[in-house]
Amino acid sequence: MSEEIKIKKSSGNVFLDMGFSEEEAEGEQLRSYLAYHVYSLFEELKLTPTKAKTHFGIDADDVSRIQEGDFHLFTVPQLLLLLKRLNRNIEIRITPSDEKVGHLQVVST
């Protein structure tokens, strides 16, 4: 009565593995990476919604949503603005691709 378990190697993008188109998957992964960085900074700085509003001018509801992992309402531009308000520099670098189509990626230091 044992069933065979099929294991499929991940593409490296969970959204692609879930069936999103390649473009949608890259966009969702980008948004997720940015949201994770915002979340990590909130944790590192021990920001409460009130402190975020006072020190960084960030809406308290946005802080609560991110702390609860509710990222789906945030766009990439909104997340970039939050990172900027959290005193982070953001660089967008455009380079030629060796592949037929380029790709999006986040590199942080």
Side-chain angles (χ1 to χ4, degrees):
M1 242 197 160
S2 77
E3 291 183 38
E4 185 178 327
I5 298 174
K6 294 181 180 182
I7 299 173
K8 182 180 176 184
K9 185 175 180 179
S10 172
S11 68
N13 183 324
V14 67
F15 299 102
L16 191 58
D17 297 342
M18 291 171 47
F20 284 79
S21 74
E22 202 167 319
E23 285 182 7
E24 289 173 319
E26 278 191 330
E28 288 301 314
Q29 188 171 39
L30 173 63
R31 194 165 56 90
S32 295
Y33 283 150
L34 294 173
Y36 171 75
H37 285 286
V38 172
Y39 173 85
S40 295
L41 283 167
F42 285 172
E43 294 295 304
E44 179 185 318
L45 299 170
K46 296 179 179 25
L47 284 184
T48 62
T50 304
K51 283 169 86 174
K53 179 74 173 165
T54 303
H55 296 292
F56 298 101
I58 297 172
D59 185 83
D61 290 336
D62 286 347
V63 175
S64 296
R65 283 187 200 99
I66 286 176
Q67 287 176 327
E68 293 166 4
D70 189 10
F71 307 137
H72 75 279
L73 295 175
F74 294 93
T75 64
V76 168
Q78 288 171 320
L79 292 165
L80 292 172
L81 179 59
L82 286 172
L83 288 165
K84 184 178 144 191
R85 287 186 177 167
L86 290 166
N87 196 29
R88 293 301 181 260
N89 294 325
I90 300 164
E91 289 182 22
I92 297 175
R93 190 174 303 179
I94 301 169
T95 61
S97 176
D98 293 333
E99 300 173 27
K100 185 177 178 181
V101 175
H103 64 276
L104 303 170
Q105 85 181 41
V106 174
V107 178
S108 64
T109 55

